[in-house]
Amino acid sequence: EYESLARTTRPPPIPHPPTTDRRALAMPLAFGFSELFTPSAVAAAVSGGALLGCCVLFKTGVLSGVLGVSTYTRRLMVQAELKRYVFTLGMMLAGLVMSFAYGGIEPHPPASFSGEQRTELFVRVGIGAFFVGLGSTMQHGCTSGHGLTGLARLSLRSWVAVPTFMAAGIVTASLTEAAKSFPPDAQTEADVPEWYIGAALAAGLAAVLACLAAVCRCAGRRNDETTLQVTTLLGEFVVGLTFGCGLVISGMARPSKVASFLDVAHGAWDVSLAFVMGGALLITFPYFQAVESFGVQDKAFLHASSFDLPPTAGKMPDRRLVLGAICFGVGWGLCGVCPGPLWVNVGGSHSLEALIALVGMLAGIGANEALDKLLDPHAAVAGKTAKEVDGDGQTRSLMGTGVEVAEDTPVFFKMYLNAA
């Protein structure tokens, strides 16, 4: 009787409020590999990456300079250079041609998205692309300049920038569940050819670059100004076209694949894009190490007067580089594209999402330019021909030695500039 009375008079347990349950508040994490992470995907990534590396070699050895898409994009806005437009046109044409002849260009947003989901995606893409443009301009490089060239040249700035924007991209994509915003398109994945077709196409395009290099060398020996200009424009167009094809073959032009690579907590991690940079470095690393070890940076090569590579020594990482890398990584994790793949998608996807991303990226670049003018207005006015080099973050300051100003600059302003 006593035990029965105790059971009936015992107060019921007080339940915990649902908001105090830490397990309910925590973001669900699921780690696992995607079904799309296959040996075929890895082989396609390596093939496309190797083609990107060949483009870097062609740009440096034949046309001189560093292949940096972010710098090309910035100079479209601040400098009217025909070769920049020709290169960008080649990338856009690569997206258009590959969308019909090869595949690998996704239609976005997916047809299954509701109107609210589409609006959220457009906002996400616009904000992300803004940070991509802002960050790539601040750090003077992106995945092409810092990743394919700077790492191969053992630039300390690039070895700081690349891990920084990779970490920022992974954290951002995982926290914002990027894989849900950019689901893979089943039809696009089914239409992508087998890896050996992409490898054969990459090998053929690399052979085209080799033949064009021989043509440029013959043009350089003629030493005719008109011939050199035409050959340079042809080379810029072909290297832009080939670079865009390499991005499509490797899978970098698919935002869903980038999201699956950066979002490591959604349970379907696709690591294949890591092999894109690996395949490119297999080409660029021995090339740049051999070039710089034998000291031929300043010697004539093909039709270029010099390789025009920025120095890697004496320029240490700074706060602007780290902040720019963080901004770039955050934007990359949000929108799933960087400057190169964005131009390819503008030409090949014909989607509103790509146009919004392009406007956002250009706005980010413009915001950085406006900030620079606000912080250093006299340099922005006087520095007409100061040179910026993308690749490993090297920049020659407008206020440094050797600044060139326009002929019509007032004498008193030249005196002030020299004094500064």
Side-chain angles (χ1 to χ4, degrees):
E1 292 179 359
Y2 175 79
E3 292 177 357
S4 176
L5 180 62
R7 285 195 298 268
T8 57
T9 57
R10 183 180 301 165
I14 301 175
H16 291 286
T19 56
T20 60
D21 189 354
R22 293 184 178 181
R23 291 175 297 178
L25 291 176
M27 183 183 69
L29 300 178
F31 298 97
F33 292 103
S34 171
E35 296 179 354
L36 300 177
F37 178 45
T38 62
S40 298
V42 172
V46 173
S47 302
L51 181 58
L52 299 179
C54 293
C55 293
V56 172
L57 266 61
F58 183 89
K59 170 60 180 174
T60 302
V62 179
L63 305 176
S64 80
V66 178
L67 198 162
V69 182
S70 61
T71 295
Y72 271 53
T73 304
R74 173 189 171 275
R75 290 181 179 177
L76 290 177
M77 301 176 62
V78 299
Q79 294 179 353
E81 293 183 280
L82 182 58
K83 64 179 182 179
R84 314 293 179 188
Y85 292 98
V86 170
F87 176 87
T88 307
L89 178 63
M91 294 190 65
M92 295 175 62
L93 184 61
L96 179 62
V97 172
M98 294 292 278
S99 64
F100 291 103
Y102 185 86
I105 303 293
E106 292 178 326
H108 269 284
S112 59
F113 272 25
S114 63
E116 183 179 356
Q117 288 176 313
R118 289 170 180 262
T119 302
E120 293 177 355
L121 179 63
F122 292 152
V123 172
R124 179 190 181 106
V125 167
I127 295 175
F130 176 86
F131 279 104
V132 166
L134 177 66
S136 62
T137 311
M138 290 181 64
Q139 67 173 346
H140 294 286
C142 56
T143 53
S144 59
H146 280 301
L148 305 186
T149 302
L151 294 183
R153 300 186 65 213
L154 300 180
S155 167
L156 180 59
R157 290 175 62 89
S158 293
W159 279 93
V160 171
V162 173
T164 301
F165 69 64
M166 288 295 299
I170 290 174
V171 171
T172 302
S174 299
L175 292 179
T176 60
E177 299 181 327
K180 291 184 179 180
S181 299
F182 302 97
D185 181 68
Q187 187 62 42
T188 302
E189 297 295 336
D191 291 341
V192 173
E194 295 292 337
W195 69 270
Y196 51 84
I197 297 178
L201 178 59
L205 291 173
V208 171
L209 290 178
C211 295
L212 184 58
V215 173
C216 291
R217 184 164 189 174
C218 295
R221 290 177 175 176
R222 292 186 57 181
N223 198 25
D224 179 68
E225 185 67 23
T226 303
T227 303
L228 290 179
Q229 291 180 356
V230 173
T231 308
T232 299
L233 293 179
L234 177 62
E236 292 284 354
F237 176 77
V238 173
V239 76
L241 179 68
T242 307
F243 195 82
C245 292
L247 291 173
V248 176
I249 295 173
S250 66
M252 283 289 294
R254 278 177 275 171
S256 67
K257 204 166 186 65
V258 176
S260 297
F261 170 61
L262 295 178
D263 188 355
V264 300
H266 72 291
W269 188 25
D270 188 353
V271 201
S272 57
L273 288 189
F275 294 88
V276 177
M277 187 171 293
L281 290 177
L282 288 176
I283 304 295
T284 60
F285 182 80
Y287 171 78
F288 282 115
Q289 292 306 307
V291 164
E292 300 189 3
S293 297
F294 290 106
V296 296
Q297 300 98 316
D298 297 327
K299 296 181 180 179
F301 188 76
L302 298 184
H303 86 281
S305 59
S306 67
F307 284 128
D308 196 19
L309 292 176
T312 57
K315 191 71 174 178
M316 301 300 293
D318 51 21
R319 287 177 295 180
R320 181 183 178 90
L321 174 75
V322 176
L323 181 59
I326 293 174
C327 290
F328 178 83
V330 169
W332 195 27
L334 286 174
C335 66
V337 291
C338 51
L342 177 54
W343 284 114
V344 173
N345 276 279
V346 169
S349 67
H350 313 292
S351 65
L352 180 60
E353 177 187 339
L355 295 178
I356 292 175
L358 178 61
V359 172
M361 182 180 66
L362 297 179
I365 295 174
N368 182 78
E369 294 295 319
L371 182 62
D372 286 344
K373 292 180 180 180
L374 180 65
L375 297 178
D376 198 1
H378 55 279
V381 174
K384 299 296 184 180
T385 59
K387 185 176 185 180
E388 292 187 57
V389 182
D390 176 89
D392 50 9
Q394 303 297 315
T395 307
R396 301 172 189 176
S397 174
L398 291 171
M399 296 304 299
T401 58
V403 173
E404 301 178 16
V405 297
E407 293 295 333
D408 57 350
T409 302
V411 176
F412 72 89
F413 196 88
K414 290 183 180 179
M415 295 173 60
Y416 168 76
L417 185 60
N418 291 330

